[in-house]
């Protein structure tokens, strides 16, 4: 992974993960592009982690490459390595959120509306934000948690 980070010249990046175990908990390509575009416009470098098992992997890579660096990962260990070196994480409700929380990395967790009140499963990092999968990008992405020392909720 060090070679990948060096070859892509990844520095001060945020991790983005739109994939959950079910489509109903995952983000669409369009919503992912909207989120990554907002973050890019806010001045952030984003790394879209693309698991090797995604069926339409080429479509995702081609669509998101203009707004993000794309890193294909073959294992959770690859993802953990990238997360540990990141400035923050934006992810749907998956292990990625819990890994980032374990390393106290600023995290934006995206949940279904019905899960917004279940705080036990939200990010536990000292700097965190929770948004709804169906919310508009301005409401679900609080990029201030990646730049300030104030704690966000």
């Amino acid at each position: 992974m060090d070679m990948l980070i060096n070859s892509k010249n990844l520095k001060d990046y945020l991790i983005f993960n739109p994939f959950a175990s079910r489509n109903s908990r995952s983000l669409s390509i369009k919503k992912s592009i909207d989120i990554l575009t907002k973050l890019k416009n806010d001045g952030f470098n984003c790394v879209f982690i693309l698991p090797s098992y995604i069926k339409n992997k080429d479509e995702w890579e081609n669509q998101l490459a203009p707004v993000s660096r794309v890193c294909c990962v073959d294992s959770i260990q690859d993802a953990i390595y990238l997360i540990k070196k990141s400035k923050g994480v934006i992810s749907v409700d998956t292990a990625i959120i819990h890994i980032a929380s374990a390393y106290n990395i600023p995290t934006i967790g995206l949940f279904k509306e019905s899960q917004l009140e279940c705080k036990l499963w939200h990010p536990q990092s000292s700097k965190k934000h929770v948004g709804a999968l169906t919310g508009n990008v301005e409401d679900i992405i609080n990029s201030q948690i990646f730049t300030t020392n104030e704690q966000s909720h």
Side-chain angles (χ1 to χ4, degrees):
M1 289 308 316
D2 268 338
M3 287 176 36
L4 177 68
I5 288 172
N6 291 333
S7 71
K8 290 186 178 270
N9 195 26
L10 300 178
K11 295 177 183 160
D12 297 323
Y13 60 89
L14 303 176
I15 293 289
F16 176 72
N17 170 50
F19 303 111
S21 58
R22 285 180 273 159
N23 283 342
S24 66
R25 292 179 39 233
S26 297
L27 296 172
S28 67
I29 289 176
K30 173 161 183 1
K31 184 79 160 215
S32 297
I33 290 170
D34 291 347
I35 289 170
L36 289 166
T37 299
K38 179 190 179 350
L39 290 164
K40 185 176 181 180
N41 290 341
D42 287 350
F44 294 99
N45 298 317
C46 292
V47 172
F48 163 52
I49 52 175
L50 181 58
S52 57
Y53 62 81
I54 298 299
K55 290 181 181 156
N56 57 342
K57 189 173 116 177
D58 291 340
E59 181 181 5
W60 276 93
E61 187 168 7
N62 292 335
Q63 294 283 325
L64 273 66
V67 292
S68 171
R69 299 281 177 93
V70 178
C71 285
C72 295
V73 293
D74 293 322
S75 69
I76 192 70
Q77 288 83 6
D78 290 348
I80 290 169
Y81 189 84
L82 290 168
I83 290 166
K84 282 173 54 175
K85 298 217 174 256
S86 76
K87 187 175 181 174
V89 170
I90 303 98
S91 178
V92 296
D93 178 26
T94 64
I96 300 294
I97 285 180
H98 306 293
I99 292 164
S101 289
Y103 289 105
N104 199 33
I105 293 170
T107 305
I108 294 176
L110 305 177
F111 295 80
K112 291 175 73 170
E113 294 282 340
S114 61
Q115 298 170 320
L116 290 178
E117 296 305 315
C118 185
K119 300 203 185 305
L120 292 175
W121 296 104
H122 289 183
Q124 302 299 309
S125 306
S126 61
K127 294 170 76 175
K128 60 189 174 289
H129 177 75
V130 174
L133 288 172
T134 56
N136 73 48
V137 173
E138 294 299 321
D139 291 336
I140 64 175
I141 298 301
N142 176 4
S143 57
Q144 289 183 352
I145 70 164
F146 304 122
T147 60
T148 67
N149 290 328
E150 296 174 21
Q151 184 172 334
S152 301
H153 298 277

